Amino acid sequence: MDTTPNYLVITLQLLGSLGLLIYGMRMMSEALQKMAGPQLRHILGRMTTNRFTGMLTGTLVTCAVQSSSATTVMTVSFVSAGLLTLAQAISVIMGANIGTTLTAWIMSLGYNVDLTSIVYPSFFVGMVLIYKKRHRYVGDFLFGTAFMFLSLVMLSTSGKAMDLEHNAEVIAFFASFDTSSHLTILAFLGIGTLITCIVQSSAAVMAITILLCSTGVLPIYLGIALVMGENIGTTATANLVALGANTQARRAALAHLLFNVFGVIWVLIVFYPFVNMVCSLVGYDPAAGGQTQRLPVVLAMFHTCFNVINTAILIGLVPQMERVVCWLLPDGKAGAKEEFRLQYIQSNLVQTPEIAVLQAQKETSAFGQRVERMFGMVRQLTTQTESKAFSELFSKIEHEEDTTDKVEIEIARYLEQVSDDHLSDETKQKIRQMMREISELESIGDACYKLARTLERKQEADADFNDHQKQQLQTLMTLCEKALTQMNTVMHGHRSDHDIRESFRIENDINQLRQQLKGENVQAVNDHEYDYAVGTLYVDMVNELEKLGDYVINVVEARFGK
């Protein structure tokens, strides 16, 4: 009877197991992010009182979401949104590298302990919770956990089925490499980096490495070289995400790469003594061989020692790292003309929906400030009498109106991208509110442009308002300016910190003054204080200012979820 393993079937099982591992870890990570929701955003936003708290938070968040890539992408997104400085981001990324070592320990456990007793109950409980909508995210988390543990069981089974330790050709192949040569170590380091860049999952490469080492065919030195390469390859995710982002975000991603490259360099210098020291910690002798059941633990221990020691060395050099990445990625030339782009968000950073929503909120707040500045230009236009200066200011307002249209479209498109993902109910509600906010903010921009057009018509007609009209218009504009300022105050803070009644009070004052001025205008035209054409222009200004006040209150109501 032929007992030769069917390597094609086993290879397919192996690939399927790796796919299940990646899917399970992604499902776990996304479920935890949804469960944490706003709390995760607040933790990441307030964690960086100093580099040590930043590092600790990066470690804890990565341990929670089981993905250093997720934490790093969040951090790059925060830098892009201006919520973190570059120095703060570097400390968080250091912590993320420590946090990711938990994954290696879970995998080493999966190769040494029978996890089937955990897998099947997790599937059943997870399915029940998913159908109970209230706890569906907990169910998703349990399903992801079960998939991850099941994949580890399948990988271990596939490894045993391959029976590589009795395959003379495979043993001879790996034995042909000189493990005492740094060139061999560098070659396997390069292979680990390349594979990780291709599959975009350091967990999958770690699983393959543990599989090969646990069978005894891959020497521990070469396995550790693959792990070092995986540490460099995992930085590709954040760097790819940051490609289209602003300079600060690209610098944060580059700092992640430099951190791991620096670690690999110093480990290569002391490679053999360092690896032997790690092996001695778990009671394994590389020279003697055997004891293959200890090799997964050796790999997990090396991964932990590498990242912890590397962080200990570099945590005190964060300012120097910041200067290096700023030197490698300098700011663009001053005065260089750039095409329109949003200030805080880039479409390619839609990797973590909960964080993407926070970026959109920052962009929406910036939109509110933009329309307030635009209204300030309109106020300047009312007092501008010199023709050339009037034309230049009007052109600026015209350009701003075009920009507000683009901002609305870009934010809406970004929010639509985010909406395509699975979101928590609270996040979906925030997206609906922001969609309404940006629509009303664009209407404020339109109102400002219409006011400027009315003033342009007055200029072209060589007409002018009398002193009483000018005074009343300035009073109404002051109220509108107060409304805009209050709107931006509400948009920047947490809604529980503000009182919506203040905005309603200003809106009521605007409505009452508008009614008063319209009545006065009819009487003044009848008394021939000014002609009908000037009165029409005056009423157009009053009506548009009142509409602007309505748009402002609509933004505030959307912010309060009314």
Side-chain angles (χ1 to χ4, degrees):
M1 185 176 177
D2 186 15
T3 59
T4 304
N6 187 332
Y7 287 112
L8 176 60
V9 172
I10 294 172
T11 302
L12 290 174
Q13 290 174 347
L14 190 65
L15 292 173
S17 302
L18 288 172
L20 196 62
L21 173 67
I22 294 169
Y23 176 75
M25 294 196 71
R26 180 177 176 181
M27 196 173 183
M28 272 179 61
S29 178
E30 289 183 352
L32 280 162
Q33 289 174 48
K34 288 169 194 170
M35 285 161 64
Q39 288 73 29
L40 182 60
R41 296 201 300 269
H42 294 154
I43 289 168
L44 280 166
R46 297 173 181 174
M47 63 197 165
T48 49
T49 50
N50 59 59
R51 68 187 73 169
F52 296 101
T53 56
M55 181 200 69
L56 181 62
T57 309
T59 302
L60 294 176
V61 169
T62 304
C63 286
V65 301
Q66 275 301 288
S67 173
S68 62
S69 293
T71 307
T72 307
V73 167
M74 286 182 207
T75 306
V76 170
S77 302
F78 267 75
V79 175
S80 176
L83 299 171
L84 287 180
T85 65
L86 180 57
Q88 290 168 334
I90 291 171
S91 66
V92 177
I93 288 167
M94 288 179 179
N97 276 273
I98 295 175
T100 195
T101 60
L102 180 63
T103 306
W105 284 106
I106 291 172
M107 287 183 181
S108 68
L109 176 71
Y111 277 86
N112 288 301
V113 179
D114 184 7
L115 297 170
T116 50
S117 57
I118 301 173
V119 170
Y120 300 115
S122 296
F123 274 127
F124 177 76
V125 175
M127 182 187 69
V128 172
L129 292 175
I130 286 171
Y131 279 98
K132 286 189 173 184
K133 288 192 174 181
R134 186 178 174 187
H135 302 294
R136 64 184 181 274
Y137 300 135
V138 179
D140 285 341
F141 171 73
L142 285 174
F143 245 69
T145 305
F147 275 133
M148 184 180 75
F149 285 147
L150 179 62
S151 69
L152 292 174
V153 172
M154 291 168 63
L155 281 168
S156 180
T157 304
S158 298
K160 290 171 184 173
M162 292 179 84
D163 196 27
L164 294 178
E165 61 267 37
H166 296 117
N167 188 311
E169 292 179 359
V170 175
I171 294 171
F173 172 76
F174 283 110
S176 66
F177 294 101
D178 182 7
T179 56
S180 63
S181 168
H182 272 85
L183 287 176
T184 304
I185 302 301
L186 284 171
F188 273 77
L189 188 152
I191 292 169
T193 302
L194 183 63
I195 296 173
T196 309
C197 288
I198 292 170
V199 300
Q200 286 290 290
S201 173
S202 57
V205 182
M206 176 63 80
I208 294 169
T209 307
I210 290 176
L211 173 66
L212 291 172
C213 284
S214 64
T215 59
V217 297
L218 183 67
I220 190 62
Y221 293 117
L222 303 186
I224 284 176
L226 287 176
V227 172
M228 289 165 64
E230 165 230 311
N231 272 275
I232 296 176
T234 194
T235 65
T237 305
N239 279 280
L240 286 171
V241 163
L243 277 178
N246 58 30
T247 304
Q248 285 294 86
R250 294 200 304 276
R251 286 170 176 169
L254 179 60
H256 187 206
L257 174 62
L258 292 181
F259 173 84
N260 283 335
V261 168
F262 174 82
V264 166
I265 290 171
W266 71 256
V267 168
L268 283 173
I269 294 171
V270 293
F271 183 74
Y272 295 101
F274 186 76
V275 173
N276 292 337
M277 181 271 292
V278 171
C279 290
S280 66
L281 290 176
V282 296
Y284 176 76
D285 184 1
Q291 297 180 299
T292 54
Q293 73 278 6
R294 289 183 182 267
L295 290 176
V297 181
V298 173
L299 291 172
M301 180 62 77
F302 171 81
H303 200 218
T304 303
C305 291
F306 171 84
N307 284 294
V308 169
I309 296 173
N310 203 29
T311 299
I313 293 170
L314 290 176
I315 193 69
L317 301 174
V318 170
Q320 288 76 13
M321 284 186 70
E322 185 178 13
R323 283 199 289 271
V324 169
V325 293
C326 288
W327 175 71
L328 291 172
L329 285 176
D331 291 314
K333 291 180 181 178
K337 190 174 181 180
E338 292 187 8
E339 59 181 24
F340 166 77
R341 63 186 294 174
L342 296 178
Q343 186 177 352
Y344 293 109
I345 59 180
Q346 288 81 33
S347 58
N348 66 315
L349 287 181
V350 184
Q351 297 267 337
T352 311
E354 300 289 344
I355 303 301
V357 169
L358 183 58
Q359 288 182 279
Q361 284 179 331
K362 289 279 289 183
E363 196 66 61
T364 304
S365 296
F367 194 3
Q369 291 177 315
R370 179 181 285 275
V371 295
E372 184 176 0
R373 288 195 301 270
M374 189 176 176
F375 183 75
M377 294 180 192
V378 174
R379 287 203 75 168
Q380 288 179 43
L381 203 64
T382 59
T383 59
Q384 192 59 257
T385 54
E386 201 271 315
S387 179
K388 184 179 177 183
F390 184 96
S391 296
E392 288 176 355
L393 189 53
F394 179 81
S395 294
K396 286 182 182 178
I397 294 170
E398 199 169 33
H399 173 73
E400 280 296 307
E401 197 276 332
D402 181 54
T403 302
T404 56
D405 291 343
K406 291 178 180 176
V407 170
E408 181 199 14
I409 291 168
E410 290 298 318
I411 296 177
R413 189 176 293 157
Y414 183 77
L415 290 173
E416 285 170 0
Q417 276 184 277
V418 179
S419 301
D420 289 338
D421 215 315
H422 300 291
L423 304 170
S424 63
D425 292 336
E426 184 180 356
T427 303
K428 289 176 185 175
Q429 177 63 23
K430 283 183 178 177
I431 287 177
R432 286 193 291 271
Q433 288 174 6
M434 275 189 283
M435 284 289 197
R436 186 179 163 201
E437 285 174 29
I438 61 174
S439 175
E440 298 296 340
L441 288 168
E442 194 276 332
S443 295
I444 294 173
D446 286 345
C448 289
Y449 180 62
K450 288 175 183 175
L451 287 166
R453 286 281 296 136
T454 302
L455 291 169
E456 186 188 43
R457 291 201 329 264
K458 179 177 76 71
Q459 184 92 340
E460 289 170 349
D462 201 23
D464 199 11
F465 299 136
N466 63 29
D467 289 342
H468 178 71
Q469 286 174 309
K470 290 177 181 177
Q471 183 182 350
Q472 295 293 57
L473 278 176
Q474 289 302 321
T475 302
L476 187 54
M477 283 187 155
T478 299
L479 284 172
C480 288
E481 197 165 58
K482 282 177 67 177
L484 284 163
T485 301
Q486 178 64 17
M487 176 194 79
N488 279 318
T489 301
V490 167
M491 289 180 72
H492 270 81
H494 196 273
R495 63 188 180 188
S496 61
D497 299 332
H498 302 288
D499 189 349
I500 196 173
R501 290 175 295 183
E502 175 63 18
S503 294
F504 279 120
R505 185 188 64 75
I506 299 170
E507 165 67 3
N508 187 54
D509 289 345
I510 291 172
N511 290 339
Q512 287 184 355
L513 184 55
R514 174 225 184 190
Q515 289 302 111
Q516 175 192 327
L517 297 184
K518 285 184 72 175
E520 287 178 359
N521 180 68
V522 172
Q523 187 64 43
V525 171
N526 288 336
D527 293 343
H528 304 291
E529 292 181 22
Y530 43 79
D531 61 33
Y532 182 80
V534 172
T536 301
L537 291 169
Y538 178 64
V539 170
D540 285 348
M541 291 284 293
V542 170
N543 285 337
E544 204 57 54
L545 286 166
E546 192 274 333
K547 283 182 188 176
L548 188 147
D550 288 341
Y551 300 139
V552 169
I553 203 68
N554 289 343
V555 173
V556 174
E557 284 183 332
R559 184 76 177 89
F560 275 89
K562 301 291 185 182

